[in-house]
Every structure is written in structure tokens, then in C-alpha cells.
Amino acid sequence: MAKAISSPNLYDKVALKYPIHRAFDITILVLLISLLVYRLLYISNHGFAWLLALLCETCFTFTWVLTVSSKWNPVEYKTYPERLSQKIQELPPVDIFVTTADPVLEPPILTVNTVISLLAVDYPADKLACYVSDDGCSPTTYYSLVEASKFAKLWAPFCKKHNIQVRAPFRYFSSEVPLNNSSEFQQEYNKMKDEYEELASKINDAVEKSIDGNILSGDFAAFSNIERKNHPTIIKVVWENKAGISDELPHLIYISREKRPQHPHHYKAGAMNVLTRVSGMMTNAPFMLNLDCDMFVNNPKIVCHAMCLLLGSRNEMESGFVQFPQYFYDGLKDDPYGNQFEVWHKYIGNGIVGIQGPFYGGTGCFHRRKVIYGSCPRDVGIQAKSLTPVHAITTSSLLLKIFGNSKEFVRSAAQALQGKANMSPQILPNLIEAAHRIAGCGYEYGTGWGKEVGWQYGSATEDILTGLKIHARGWRSVLCSPDPRAFLGCAPRVGPISMTQQKRWATGLLEILISERNPIIATLTARLQFRQCLAYLWILIWGLRSIPEICYAVLPAYCIITNSSFLPKPYEPAMYIHVALFLSYVIYSLLEYLETGLSIRAWWNNQRMARMNATNAWFFGVISVFLKILRISGTVFEVTQKDQSSDNGGDEGRFTFDASPIFVPGTTILLLQLTAFVMGFGGMQLPSVDDASGLGEILCSVLVVICFWPFVKGLFGKGKYGIPLSTICKSSLLSLSFVYLVTSSSMGQL
């Protein structure tokens, strides 16, 4: 392990003060409670619409309580990587994991740029090992890595010599011409650019020609006659730093784990556990970084920033893992799909840091290996060095039961649990046979993988579940936000892909909430702090929030159709509560966006997408989990399509649709509002005695239509910009059925 000496702190923990924000938080909470009290006091004077509004607003109040709790104590960390040399005599090894699952949805050129940027970071190369998991078992991906390793031998020295900050070549060469005008640099720059263009050309040609698996030979023979979901383990050492030289490239290992149709493979969590075991067998670094294939390194000192937090605290309990915020490059102007999360990171993210630490985000995270192996703070798992020989035998049996029947791997796991690095250099090719055994699809049966140790199974959001397990053991986590930003990835650039991603998140989060591993049980039976539990509940209820969101969106149309009300009349004093609440929230949320440096348009786009995601994607997440509970169908991990290109043919930000049923709820809500307008202004409303709808219901219905304006344009759009006729027909049928049911019910009560 690293050896520490006396020197200044490696990081500072800074408490952030937002007094105006706290005032708004309290004001809105008081107004919400006042609204609920008003509803309860006058519930006997009103009908079903009033009761439904009360239930929805109760849910919104609960959500706001969770939000305020999560944001109340914002904290940020400032790291000083330049002090590492004073504090740490020997830097610890780090294993790096990059995961890719589909060479079509995740083009190899993206994976290659991420890997190249990692191989060129400012950290001793003999302390790094990069493992790439290819769940697509693609010979094209392997070929791309082989070619990339050749380019990286030139690229890494070039970056370090000239202190290049952006070390993903596609990003560097697509930016403006560098300011260094020396002839030596220009010559090397042009040479590197030509080399990268040749690399990109080779990879793109391989993708287009699609390497034939039936004629592969030599180094590619392992890929012959295999199926993507039915193949043995393939492990290839692409590059080995045999001499352990700090200025060479780090190790680069390709892994495609065994897959068989009759064995569950647990999607990304299963791939991460295989990477953990194989790396434990080969290099066994005490720290691990995991990245998605599209998240390239944007700050070359990123490993040093993480080490400041992992090695600089007096108690390692304070940093079970270090999470870096997920930011994106070439984001669409004004964030039309609401998926860049700038404001979320600044306020909610930093707020959760002030409790027990940020959630594990699935990418851009440094883990302690022993924490992933199930170690608890102050009780560092099973320490054989302190046990008697008899107990050591029992401990060995227990380790075999938890970690599997590979004695070689169990020895490495015992080292990791004691916080020891692999001190003796290994010849990687000699370990491949043993690594094959622990990467097999049957290795985990009867072990603790996915339950007690490793990345957790049972949810499409394995990252949140794994982080929850770590926090429940008593560990804290840290959020590191260096300048420049640590990693940059690509956000979905079209509507259907963004919606699909949101649906997967809502599905996985709800799976956690209804499981026995939810944060409430973890707080009662383990070491999860109460407010951290509330923070987890804030994100886990995303899917359930779709129900009150849909009901509240439909409520104005319902009231207009049935000529009932859920709002006080304009002349009643209670209307001031609604107006004050609406204006307070608008001003507060707008203030957050402006303080973050975003535009009013970006604020509106995010507000609009929040409504659309909740009523469409999140609602389908609830349906997916409901069908899983009924055992009608299982949830499916849907890989998000990655796109390196920022050229969308001049239609950036325009909302697109497809035939997916995910757009049916939003279209139905819109058609209901339009139907209500026709009935209201056409004099077709039902008769009312003394609780008729008024201006408030009409304005709310107009606001719903404005929020769903992309759907309005979709009704008249063509091609991918238009809502498919099949979706419109389904929504029309649902809308007419709704109108018929509510009118029939209301007429029966008259």
C-alpha cells in the first residue's frame, strides 16, 4: 500500500452556504402544508376532484420534504494533487474497467477513444492496468483495441511531452488548432493527427465490412464460429508492460466473459463482477476505476485527484468510494431533452455529499477493492493475519463459500481484504487459464457474488443498488468535481433514446424500492443514516411519482369535462396559496438555473421534460415492474445508444418519436386536454350545481398543453417528427373511453 508522510492536507472539505435557497425551501414547504390543511378543511364541500387533488398534493409534499432534506447541507471537496508527492512516497496500483455491450449501439471508435485517454493519464504506467469487458463478444472491438494500443504508444508520450490536457484523440483533433506554434510541435501534431485518422479509418472499415467470424484465424481464432450470447470466455492480453516501466503503456486486457442461454448473465453487474475477479487474479490493485465506454478522460490528473481523497483522510471510512459527476460533451444547446443534469449536480448532488455521500453513478467512480469484496469500516472483513491456525482454516472455508472455489482467487481476495496490493509482479499470459475459470458463467453459483460481495444483482440500476449496499455497511462516499471536469460522455440526442434511458432508470430504481434491500430496511437493520435513507427514497420513488403526475395532469381536463373544480374560485382568499406556491417554485427553480450559468430556455426545457419523463418513461417503468411482480414478463436491461457525432443534420433539439408505446400516455393526456377545450367552449359540459369549473381549471389545462407542446407538434409532424398513426389511434381510444366513463359516472350521480 501507499506510505504516508507528514505534509499538508491532500483535500479540503468546504461547506456551501445558500441562505436564499433555504428560505425558498422553507417557504414552499410551508405553502404546501397550508394547501393540504386547506384541502382537508373544505373536503366535505367538494367532490372527487378535490379528493384526488389532495392525494396528489400529499405526494408532492412528501417529495418536496425528501428534496429539501437532500439539499440542506451542501458540501464540496477541493483536492490538491500537486501535494501527493509530498504526502505519498509510493502511489498505489489502480485497475481500470471499461465496459461495452454492443458494437452497434456503442461504436468501437468510442470505446477506443476512452481506452486511449485512460492509457495516457498522468500516473505511473506500471501502477495501472486497463481491462475492457466486451459483452458483445465482437472481433471488431478486439481488433480496434489491438490497433489502438499501437497508436497509444505514440499518443501517450506526445501528450505527456507537450502537456496535452484533452487526451481522447477524437476530441483533441476536432477542437481548434493548438496555440503552440513551434515547428517541432507542429510536425509532431500533424504526424499524430495523420496516425489517428489512419486508426479511425481502419476501425470504421472493420465496422462496415463486419469481420466474418467463420474465417478468423491466428490471434482472432477464438472468435470463430461463436454466437454473441453463446460462447466461451475469451481473455486476451493486448499489451503487457513486462518490464514494469513507468513511462510505458499500462497493461491492456480484453475480456469477453462466457455466456450460455441457460445461464443468467446479470447484464452490466455480471460483467463488472467478472472484471473484478479477473483483475483480482492478474493485478489485484487495491483501487478500481470503472467507466462506461463513452466516458473519456477530460482531466489527465484524474487518478491523482481520486488518490487525494482515498489516501488523504485520517479514517478510510470517509471514502468508501470516490464518485465523479457525469458530464457530457457537445451537449445540445439549452438541454432540450433535460438529460445533462447540471443543476442536479450542483444542488442535489452536493447536498447528498453533506450527508453520507453521493450515490454510486455506475461510471466515473473509484472503488476500494476490499469494499467491493464486502469489507466494513473498522472491521476490515476477514484478516487472516490476526487469526489462529484453526480459525484460519474456518476462514479459508468461508472465503471459498463467498468468493468461489478458485483457491488462487481466494488468496488474492484475502490480500485485498487486508488492504494489501499485489506486491510480486505477475506474468499476465501465465494467469489466463486460471482467469478463464473465474470468468465462466457457472462460477458464481452457490457463492456470495451479486448478493454479499461484488456488484449487486436484482436491479436494472445495479449502480444505485451497489452503492446502497456500501453505504448500508457504514461507509461514506465522496464527490470530486475537479477543474477541468474529470470525464465527459455523450448524452442521448433524440427523444426515443432519452425516454428509453429514463424508463430503464425508473424500472431499476423501483425494483430496489420494493425489494428487501431497500433503504428503509437498511436504516433499521444496518448502518445507513436516516437522512441518507431519505436521499435514496428521493431517487427510488421516481417511478411511483408518475402516478400522481399523470393524475394531476389529467385533473384539469376531468374538471372541465365534468364541470367540477379542484381549485378555489379567483375571488376566494385560498387562491393566494396556489398563486404563491406556483410563483415561488418558478422563481426558485429559475434562480437555480441562472446561478448555474444556464439560460431561461434551458430551465423551461428541463421543466417540460420533467413532466414528459414522469408521465411517459417513468410510468412505463412502473408497468415493467408490475408485470415482473405478476411474473408475466421480466425486466430487460436496455443499452443506451451512443453517438459520437454532434451533427444531427440541422435538427438538433427537435423532438422525435417512434412507434414505441412509451409515447401513448403523453399523447393521451394531450388529447384529453384538447377534448376538454372542445367540450368546455362548445357548451357540452355536464351540468353543475355549485362546484363548476372556472378560469383556474382552464389555465391549468392550457399549462399542461404547453408542457406537452412537442406532442402538439407531433400530431401534425411528418416522419420521425410526427407521432405514429398507431399511437394516435391508441391514445384516441383511451381518451374517448375516459370521457365516456367520467361522463357516464357523473350523469349517474345527478
Side-chain angles (χ1 to χ4, degrees):
M1 272 299 277
K3 300 176 182 178
I5 58 178
S6 178
S7 68
N9 292 335
L10 294 178
Y11 68 87
D12 287 328
K13 183 178 180 180
V14 182
L16 305 175
K17 302 296 182 182
Y18 298 119
I20 296 177
H21 293 245
R22 283 193 173 186
F24 271 109
D25 287 334
I26 295 172
T27 300
I28 293 173
L29 182 58
V30 170
L31 288 171
L32 283 167
I33 294 173
S34 301
L35 178 59
L36 296 182
V37 172
Y38 167 71
R39 293 280 188 204
L40 288 170
L41 290 176
Y42 291 91
I43 193 169
S44 60
N45 301 334
H46 299 273
F48 173 74
W50 196 269
L51 175 61
L52 183 59
L54 171 63
L55 295 176
C56 292
E57 288 157 0
T58 302
C59 294
F60 299 151
T61 303
F62 176 68
T63 301
W64 188 252
V65 170
L66 299 181
T67 303
V68 172
S69 174
S70 300
K71 296 166 64 175
W72 195 252
N73 300 109
V75 166
E76 68 177 7
Y77 288 83
K78 182 173 177 56
T79 51
Y80 305 101
E82 67 277 3
R83 298 177 183 174
L84 267 177
S85 58
Q86 307 169 35
K87 184 81 173 178
I88 306 299
Q89 292 180 341
E90 183 181 355
L91 291 171
V94 178
D95 288 338
I96 304 171
F97 305 153
V98 178
T99 52
T100 181
D102 189 317
V104 176
L105 298 178
E106 299 173 330
I109 191 66
L110 274 177
T111 304
V112 158
N113 271 277
T114 296
V115 170
I116 291 173
S117 70
L118 287 165
L119 297 179
V121 294
D122 289 336
Y123 201 79
D126 59 323
K127 300 290 185 179
L128 298 175
C130 182
Y131 296 82
V132 180
S133 170
D134 176 21
D135 258 10
C137 195
S138 167
T140 305
T141 301
Y142 174 63
Y143 168 78
S144 300
L145 289 173
V146 172
E147 294 300 318
S149 67
K150 300 173 184 176
F151 171 79
K153 294 173 188 176
L154 304 174
W155 174 251
F158 169 76
C159 291
K160 293 175 181 179
K161 177 180 178 181
H162 298 289
N163 195 27
I164 304 299
Q165 293 301 301
V166 179
R167 300 198 176 175
F170 90 95
R171 190 69 179 164
Y172 177 68
F173 292 121
S174 65
S175 61
E176 297 180 4
V177 177
L179 299 177
N180 192 332
N181 294 320
S182 69
S183 58
E184 179 188 8
F185 174 79
Q186 289 295 333
Q187 184 177 0
E188 292 185 27
Y189 173 87
N190 292 330
K191 178 185 176 183
M192 293 307 307
K193 188 173 183 180
D194 291 341
E195 292 284 351
Y196 176 69
E197 289 175 352
E198 182 180 352
L199 170 66
S201 177
K202 286 181 179 179
I203 293 173
N204 291 332
D205 287 346
V207 170
E208 291 174 6
K209 295 176 182 177
S210 186
I211 300 173
D212 188 349
N214 296 319
I215 59 174
L216 294 173
S217 60
D219 197 31
F220 294 86
F223 295 93
S224 298
N225 301 312
I226 62 171
E227 300 175 18
R228 179 182 168 187
K229 296 183 179 180
N230 187 13
H231 62 83
T233 299
I234 300 174
I235 301 177
K236 298 279 189 179
V237 179
V238 179
W239 168 258
E240 182 182 8
N241 188 343
K242 297 179 181 178
I245 301 173
S246 62
D247 292 332
E248 282 198 4
L249 286 185
H251 301 313
L252 178 59
I253 299 98
Y254 170 91
I255 301 171
S256 184
R257 59 187 170 130
E258 181 184 15
K259 284 188 178 180
R260 301 299 179 193
Q262 66 272 25
H263 292 277
H265 57 86
H266 302 293
Y267 308 107
K268 183 180 176 180
M272 291 300 301
N273 283 335
V274 169
L275 285 171
T276 302
R277 292 196 297 273
V278 172
S279 66
M281 180 74 75
M282 289 186 159
T283 46
N284 205 29
F287 301 106
M288 305 179 292
L289 162 65
N290 88 277
L291 283 177
D292 288 343
C293 65
D294 64 311
M295 299 293 294
F296 69 83
V297 175
N298 188 61
N299 185 328
K301 296 188 179 297
I302 191 57
V303 182
C304 294
H305 282 285
M307 290 303 119
C308 288
L309 294 162
L310 290 166
L311 304 177
S313 57
R314 291 189 179 92
N315 187 347
E316 64 180 16
M317 170 188 178
E318 299 295 321
S319 55
F321 62 84
V322 176
Q323 178 68 57
F324 290 84
Q326 190 170 0
Y327 292 114
F328 307 97
Y329 61 88
D330 289 341
L332 297 178
K333 184 180 179 182
D334 297 326
D335 193 11
Y337 299 117
N339 56 12
Q340 295 176 26
F341 306 113
E342 296 275 351
V343 172
W344 190 95
H345 287 310
K346 182 172 181 179
Y347 296 107
I348 295 286
N350 283 334
I352 297 172
V353 174
I355 309 175
Q356 200 174 341
F359 309 136
Y360 168 39
T363 183
C365 187
F366 284 81
H367 292 275
R368 296 181 187 272
R369 185 179 289 271
K370 66 182 180 182
V371 173
I372 292 296
Y373 284 175
S375 172
C376 295
R378 303 190 188 93
D379 178 19
V380 190
I382 302 162
Q383 301 185 33
K385 63 181 182 180
S386 63
L387 301 174
T388 63
V390 175
H391 287 121
I393 295 173
T394 305
T395 298
S396 177
S397 302
L398 179 59
L399 284 172
L400 286 169
K401 181 178 180 181
I402 294 175
F403 291 101
N405 58 10
S406 169
K407 293 183 178 179
E408 298 94 333
F409 175 70
V410 166
R411 280 195 295 268
S412 77
Q415 275 189 333
L417 287 167
Q418 296 171 34
K420 295 180 179 178
N422 191 348
M423 304 306 293
S424 57
Q426 302 285 325
I427 301 175
L428 299 187
N430 294 348
L431 300 171
I432 287 181
E433 183 179 348
H436 270 79
R437 290 196 295 272
I438 58 177
C441 57
Y443 180 81
E444 294 182 352
Y445 283 107
T447 70
W449 287 100
K451 301 181 290 292
E452 299 174 58
V453 297
W455 270 255
Q456 299 295 291
Y457 301 154
S459 170
T461 51
E462 79 298 321
D463 45 6
I464 296 293
L465 182 56
T466 301
L468 173 57
K469 183 81 171 180
I470 293 171
H471 283 135
R473 292 195 187 108
W475 293 97
R476 299 178 64 89
S477 56
V478 184
L479 185 72
C480 185
S481 304
D483 185 20
R485 291 172 171 178
F487 307 101
L488 294 179
C490 52
R493 306 177 71 87
V494 291
I497 296 176
S498 181
M499 286 282 188
T500 300
Q501 184 183 59
Q502 291 279 340
K503 175 198 167 188
R504 176 169 63 83
W505 291 345
T507 301
L509 294 171
L510 188 53
E511 286 175 325
I512 299 172
L513 184 63
I514 65 173
S515 74
E516 60 184 13
R517 292 178 285 182
N518 70 67
I520 297 174
I521 295 177
T523 301
L524 296 175
T525 63
R527 302 180 186 178
L528 189 70
Q529 296 179 14
F530 175 70
R531 285 185 58 210
Q532 188 74 11
C533 170
L534 297 183
Y536 271 108
L537 287 177
W538 176 84
I539 195 171
L540 295 182
I541 64 171
W542 275 12
L544 293 181
R545 283 168 58 184
S546 65
I547 298 172
E549 287 269 4
I550 290 175
C551 292
Y552 217 64
V554 170
L555 198 52
Y558 170 85
C559 288
I560 294 172
I561 293 169
T562 60
N563 204 14
S564 57
S565 69
F566 76 102
L567 294 172
K569 298 298 182 285
Y571 55 81
E572 295 180 3
M575 180 58 78
Y576 292 120
I577 299 177
H578 293 80
V579 174
L581 184 57
F582 177 77
L583 292 178
S584 297
Y585 179 77
V586 168
I587 294 170
Y588 181 28
S589 57
L590 184 57
L591 175 66
E592 288 184 327
Y593 278 80
L594 295 178
E595 286 184 348
T596 310
L598 301 176
S599 65
I600 296 177
R601 183 63 180 270
W603 164 79
W604 170 245
N605 286 338
N606 277 262
Q607 298 303 311
R608 179 192 68 185
M609 284 304 303
R611 308 286 77 75
M612 291 165 56
N613 284 330
T615 54
N616 292 279
W618 294 2
F619 180 63
F620 267 85
V622 174
I623 293 175
S624 296
V625 175
F626 182 68
L627 294 177
K628 178 182 177 182
I629 293 173
L630 296 179
R631 300 184 183 276
I632 295 175
S633 68
T635 56
V636 177
F637 187 96
E638 297 166 285
V639 179
T640 304
Q641 182 176 340
K642 313 295 194 305
D643 182 12
Q644 185 183 43
S645 172
S646 60
D647 181 12
N648 277 4
D651 53 32
E652 290 188 346
R654 292 184 62 184
F655 206 87
T656 57
F657 300 87
D658 60 17
S660 168
I662 205 170
F663 295 105
V664 170
T667 308
T668 304
I669 290 171
L670 175 62
L671 292 179
L672 278 175
Q673 311 303 322
L674 299 179
T675 303
F677 290 155
V678 171
M679 294 183 68
F681 293 108
M684 293 181 283
Q685 288 176 291
L686 297 176
S688 176
V689 179
D690 55 1
D691 194 25
S693 61
L695 180 62
E697 285 74 22
I698 294 173
L699 290 177
C700 286
S701 188
V702 170
L703 182 59
V704 172
V705 172
I706 295 174
C707 286
F708 284 81
W709 195 251
F711 283 77
V712 176
K713 293 194 289 187
L715 290 176
F716 307 100
K718 303 293 184 182
K720 63 182 180 180
Y721 305 112
I723 301 174
L725 182 60
S726 60
T727 300
I728 295 176
C729 291
K730 294 172 186 175
S731 296
S732 299
L733 181 61
L734 289 171
S735 301
L736 293 174
S737 301
F738 178 84
V739 172
Y740 173 76
L741 289 173
V742 298
T743 53
S744 299
S745 176
S746 298
M747 289 295 291
Q749 296 175 5
L750 294 176

